[in-house]
Amino acid sequence: MARRCIVTGKGVQVGNNVSHANNKTKRRFLPNLQTVSVLSDALGAVRMRVSAAAVRTIEHKGGIDAFLRAMPDRKLSPEIRRLKRRIEAAAARKAG
């Protein structure tokens, strides 16, 4: 499983540990990924592995359905784009 958030695209960054003597050694900065169940109006509970910032963004926008409706497809990863299509199809079935 990749260490990348499917909503924000945040991934691993690299940098240096710098000691008091100014020695530099490579290190990795890992994103704060959490496995969360997000409640969708159309699908119910959906489990995703997202960053803490993505959880805050989704909640701020009013839930996963509203977040995905407002976000254009070109800005979404292929994995989250599939979820968007599933939500739209389930909402259409529910409405019609």
Side-chain angles (χ1 to χ4, degrees), residues 68-86:
L68 290 176
R69 238 181 283 116
M71 191 67 70
D73 281 351
R74 61 185 164 72
K75 288 189 174 183
L76 299 173
S77 68
E79 193 174 344
I80 201 82
R81 218 177 285 153
R82 279 192 297 276
L83 176 63
K84 182 178 180 178
R85 281 196 301 271
R86 278 181 48 210

Side-chain angles (χ1 to χ4, degrees), residues 39-53:
L39 199 59
S40 166
D41 297 331
L43 296 176
V46 179
R47 287 178 61 86
M48 302 188 308
R49 191 157 186 244
V50 295
S51 65

Side-chain angles (χ1 to χ4, degrees), residues 13-87:
Q13 293 183 321
V14 293
N16 289 312
N17 276 333
V18 181
S19 70
H20 186 68
N22 208 27
N23 297 330
K24 294 166 186 76
T25 56
K26 282 290 185 187
R27 64 159 292 179
R28 298 171 71 192
F29 294 93
L30 300 177
N32 186 10
L33 294 181
Q34 308 292 324
T35 302
V36 295
S37 280
V38 181
L39 199 59
S40 166
D41 297 331
L43 296 176
V46 179
R47 287 178 61 86
M48 302 188 308
R49 191 157 186 244
V50 295
S51 65
V55 173
R56 288 194 304 273
T57 301
I58 289 169
E59 291 301 316
H60 177 75
K61 298 289 183 179
I64 189 71
D65 295 352
F67 170 76
L68 290 176
R69 238 181 283 116
M71 191 67 70
D73 281 351
R74 61 185 164 72
K75 288 189 174 183
L76 299 173
S77 68
E79 193 174 344
I80 201 82
R81 218 177 285 153
R82 279 192 297 276
L83 176 63
K84 182 178 180 178
R85 281 196 301 271
R86 278 181 48 210
I87 289 173

